[in-house]
Amino acid sequence: MTELRQNVTQDKPRLAPKIQGAMPLFVDLDGTLVRTDVAQELLVRGLAGIRHIGALAGAAMQGRNRLKAVSAQVVEFRADLLPYRPEVLDYIAKARKQGRPVILATAADTQVAQAVADYLQLFDGILASDMGRNLKGAVKLAAIQAYCGGGPFEYLGDSGADIPIWQAAERPGFVAPTGPARAYAAAHEDKAALVVPADQGQARALWKAMRPHQWVKNVLVFLPLIVSHSYTDPAMLLLALLAFVAFSLCASSVYLINDLVDIDADRVHPTKRHRPFAAGTLRPVTGVMAAAAMTLGAMLLAFGGMGLVFGLVLLAYMALTSAYSLWLKQYSTVDVVVLALLYTMRIVAGAAACMIVPSEWLLSFSLFFFLSLAYMKRYIELARVGHDRKLPSRNYQASDLTIVQTFGIANGALSLLTLAQYMASPQVQQLYAFPQALWLAVPLMMFWTYRTWMWASRGKVGDDPVVFAIKDRISQITVVLVVLVILLARNFQPDWIFA
């Protein structure tokens, strides 16, 4: 119970005076006992698995109740990982100490309600949806009144569908009310048994789930423009900027779906459990609708404003990153190679947007470099799981730690070797006035690569090496120095040195 209570914010509820007698307490599940909507979670996760789509489609044709039941059957459901509200748990415990019967009354499927009741061991009974009825609104009220023989009862709820039940209840309880329920709760607080403040707005939670800080990874679309020295062309700069926007929209849409699919794994992670879906502060349906809107916007921008080639590259990126989020990340080695490809595809997209032929040296360096960072990410995750354990939703075991580290460092070395070979290529002689100066970039990149791996082994890099590189002061200085080296090699005339 303690671990569950750490998954939610510690808002302070306002309690009414102690209730006398044995008035039954009915408690809603979605949004009330837990912050999330369990049915929405199960449906999204079910659709993410190809083998369940047929069963869910057939169930949907038979009605909402059938869809809820089948979702609960085909998707693994863990009641112990739900983001329970500590205020409601405490209130239920106090009601039980008073000798009052406590009943879980929910529109969720009976299988879900029973699993929650079995885990918490706080309820004397359950009222839930089944094949014959959807226990919501007036239907739930009738079931509650039948259960308590028409006598007085107390009800804790959160949504507009609960208003008829609050109106009939002797004592209503308002738990983070939403929509019309918020206005009703404000007008009837004086008779409330429990008032829990509303959660943060969905817009704020959605913005957090979109991970805008990760958009910095999409600056890779500018790389072909930089290495081809076309950055002085305003038209090309605009095209690269539009490519950045399109990729950022796509990336955020995939983050939303990925977090929904990974919700159970995130809830057992020390830091990811605070993500909006895992914490229950963002409803699954909101995330799905936002992901669809961002994907549509990105595709319209790509095909409508940037040309067929860029659109096809973005479409391929979207397909690959979706396949990674839904399936490929479950396979060791495949997952890190796909991650490296996704970074490299950003470079290819930038070249397509600006109609530049990407250098094979740049693409080779990118593959090795980002494969090294992908292995570093897995190394960091493995180092945290402890002995004889495996990564949730990943095919890596703690015993793989050394070999993952070895592969990562080896690919980092290959990226440095590729960079060194590029310095001696004919392209460098043609593009740079002082190509010999570029060799200064090699030791700088050596320093950054091996220092970052050293820090990863000491547990100082965090969850994502790319985010670490963005925030780390030494990394920032290294990038500035490399840029200065490139500008020196491009613009400096060394004739007087060799005169």
Side-chain angles (χ1 to χ4, degrees):
M1 192 74 69
T2 301
E3 293 180 358
L4 290 172
R5 296 182 184 185
Q6 291 173 347
N7 287 340
V8 293
T9 59
Q10 301 296 315
D11 293 328
K12 297 295 184 182
R14 294 193 296 101
L15 301 179
K18 181 177 179 180
I19 300 173
Q20 302 298 325
M23 182 189 297
L25 171 63
F26 294 85
V27 182
D28 182 36
L29 176 63
D30 296 322
T32 303
L33 181 62
V34 298
R35 290 181 180 272
T36 189
D37 187 302
V38 176
Q40 292 179 16
E41 284 189 11
L42 293 177
L43 179 59
V44 172
R45 290 171 55 203
L47 291 173
I50 294 180
R51 63 186 184 278
H52 302 319
I53 292 179
L56 292 172
M61 297 178 65
Q62 300 177 50
R64 178 180 297 181
N65 298 342
R66 178 66 179 175
L67 182 60
K68 288 182 181 179
V70 172
S71 297
Q73 290 169 2
V74 301
V75 179
E76 180 184 4
F77 171 64
R78 292 189 57 179
D80 59 312
L81 297 181
L82 291 177
Y84 294 93
R85 294 186 185 273
E87 313 94 329
V88 178
L89 293 175
D90 290 342
Y91 190 77
I92 291 173
K94 292 176 182 177
R96 290 179 62 85
K97 286 182 179 179
Q98 297 171 359
R100 300 171 58 196
V102 182
I103 298 92
L104 180 62
T106 174
D109 185 73
T110 301
Q111 301 165 85
V112 170
Q114 190 63 60
V116 170
D118 290 344
Y119 171 66
L120 291 178
Q121 295 293 305
L122 291 176
F123 297 101
D124 299 293
I126 63 170
L127 296 174
S129 297
D130 53 34
M131 294 295 186
R133 63 177 182 176
N134 183 37
L135 204 75
K136 188 174 183 179
V139 178
K140 183 188 287 190
L141 173 59
I144 289 174
Q145 291 175 327
Y147 193 96
C148 60
F153 65 90
E154 179 181 348
Y155 178 75
L156 304 185
D158 70 292
S159 70
D162 294 322
I163 292 177
I165 308 174
W166 283 327
Q167 291 173 336
E170 179 73 17
R171 299 292 298 274
F174 307 120
V175 180
T178 60
R182 185 172 298 180
Y184 182 89
H188 297 82
E189 280 190 8
D190 56 323
K191 61 179 296 188
L194 173 70
V195 176
V196 177
D199 293 328
Q200 66 175 357
Q202 291 285 285
R204 181 180 175 185
L206 177 61
W207 178 254
K208 181 179 179 181
M210 287 169 60
R211 301 187 218 172
H213 62 281
Q214 297 280 10
W215 293 348
V216 71
K217 297 177 180 179
N218 297 322
V219 299
L220 289 172
V221 301
F222 292 96
L223 202 54
L225 199 66
I226 294 171
V227 298
S228 65
H229 305 290
S230 303
Y231 40 80
T232 56
D233 187 330
M236 285 194 172
L237 278 173
L238 177 59
L239 289 171
L241 180 60
L242 292 176
F244 174 83
V245 173
F247 262 82
S248 296
L249 289 173
C250 275
S252 286
S253 68
V254 173
Y255 287 142
L256 293 174
I257 299 302
N258 182 66
D259 286 356
L260 278 169
V261 175
D262 268 358
I263 199 164
D264 276 357
D266 286 351
R267 283 173 176 160
V268 298
H269 192 276
T271 57
K272 293 180 181 180
R273 64 189 179 89
H274 299 298
R275 289 177 174 175
F277 290 122
T281 54
L282 181 63
R283 292 296 176 94
V285 66
T286 304
V288 171
M289 293 174 62
M294 285 186 286
T295 300
L296 178 61
M299 292 303 165
L300 289 175
L301 177 61
F303 285 100
M306 304 192 63
L308 179 63
V309 176
F310 176 80
L312 291 175
V313 174
L314 184 63
L315 192 62
Y317 171 86
M318 193 68 184
L320 185 58
T321 192
S322 298
Y324 170 82
S325 296
L326 298 177
W327 308 293
L328 298 180
K329 65 184 178 184
Q330 303 174 31
Y331 302 98
S332 60
T333 307
V334 172
D335 63 333
V336 290
V337 171
V338 170
L339 284 175
L341 285 172
L342 289 173
Y343 280 107
T344 304
M345 287 182 72
R346 290 172 166 93
I347 298 175
V348 174
C354 299
M355 294 171 285
I356 297 170
V357 179
S359 164
E360 63 271 20
W361 292 106
L362 176 61
L363 298 181
S364 298
F365 171 82
S366 173
L367 281 172
F368 289 129
F369 181 76
F370 288 110
L371 186 56
S372 176
L373 295 187
Y375 271 118
M376 186 184 295
K377 183 177 176 66
R378 292 293 176 261
Y379 171 82
I380 293 167
E381 294 170 343
L382 276 173
R384 293 175 176 172
V385 301
H387 298 292
D388 302 322
R389 293 184 60 190
K390 63 176 296 185
L391 289 180
S393 303
R394 305 288 192 274
N395 189 24
Y396 290 91
Q397 300 178 359
S399 57
D400 298 330
L401 185 66
T402 300
I403 194 166
V404 167
Q405 183 185 41
T406 302
F407 287 161
I409 295 174
N411 278 281
L414 285 173
S415 71
L416 295 171
L417 178 61
T418 303
L419 181 61
Q421 289 179 321
Y422 170 67
M423 303 305 180
S425 67
Q427 293 95 318
V428 168
Q429 306 302 319
Q430 297 171 3
L431 285 173
Y432 293 90
F434 188 14
Q436 293 83 358
L438 284 178
W439 283 98
L440 294 173
V442 177
L444 287 171
M445 290 302 299
M446 283 181 176
F447 161 76
W448 185 88
T449 299
Y450 296 129
R451 171 185 177 268
T452 305
W453 268 105
M454 185 72 74
W455 277 49
S457 69
R458 297 174 182 175
K460 296 183 178 182
V461 171
D463 294 330
D464 191 331
V466 177
V467 174
F468 164 80
I470 294 167
K471 297 181 178 180
D472 176 55
R473 180 60 58 86
I474 299 298
S475 299
Q476 295 168 355
I477 293 173
T478 303
V479 170
V480 171
L481 290 176
V482 170
V483 171
L484 289 176
V485 166
I486 294 174
L487 292 175
L488 174 67
R490 172 68 176 174
N491 300 301
F492 183 69
Q493 297 293 332
D495 296 342
W496 62 272
I497 296 178
F498 303 103

